[in-house]
Amino acid sequence: MLRSGTIFCYQVFPTNISFYHNILLKAVQEKDFEAVKRMVDFFAKYNPTFINLTESSSQNTALHLAAETGFFKVLHFL
């Protein structure tokens, strides 16, 4: 049992980075700035090319999607 205030983090990484890229794109679509920021900050350190990955069917990046949906806060951040 964890004491109050304890931070517990457990994560299993799939072998394919596209799993996380799809989550990033969904966060952009849902206009969830905090989720986008956390993912970009994390992957910038461990996989810098993550932010430039393209969606397989449209070849759009998160930046393209942010512009398309008018998510200016993320657009500026990216």
Side-chain angles (χ1 to χ4, degrees):
M1 180 171 280
L2 299 175
R3 291 183 288 154
S4 177
T6 301
I7 297 173
F8 177 75
C9 182
Y10 176 79
Q11 187 155 7
V12 176
F13 288 97
T15 57
N16 190 339
I17 195 73
S18 67
F19 173 83
Y20 291 104
H21 189 253
N22 289 335
I23 293 173
L24 173 67
L25 296 178
K26 184 174 171 138
V28 171
Q29 287 175 325
E30 293 177 355
K31 298 188 176 190
D32 185 349
F33 179 75
E34 287 304 315
V36 171
K37 184 173 182 340
R38 281 189 224 126
M39 290 187 73
V40 169
D41 289 347
F42 175 82
F43 282 103
K45 183 175 181 182
Y46 298 105
N47 188 341
T49 62
F50 175 78
I51 192 60
N52 293 321
L53 293 176
T54 58
E55 198 263 331
S56 59
S57 63
S58 69
Q59 297 302 307
N60 286 337
T61 65
L63 182 66
H64 292 124
L65 192 55
E68 183 180 294
T69 60
F71 194 4
F72 298 110
K73 188 172 184 177
V74 162
L75 189 60
H76 186 264
F77 172 71
L78 295 175

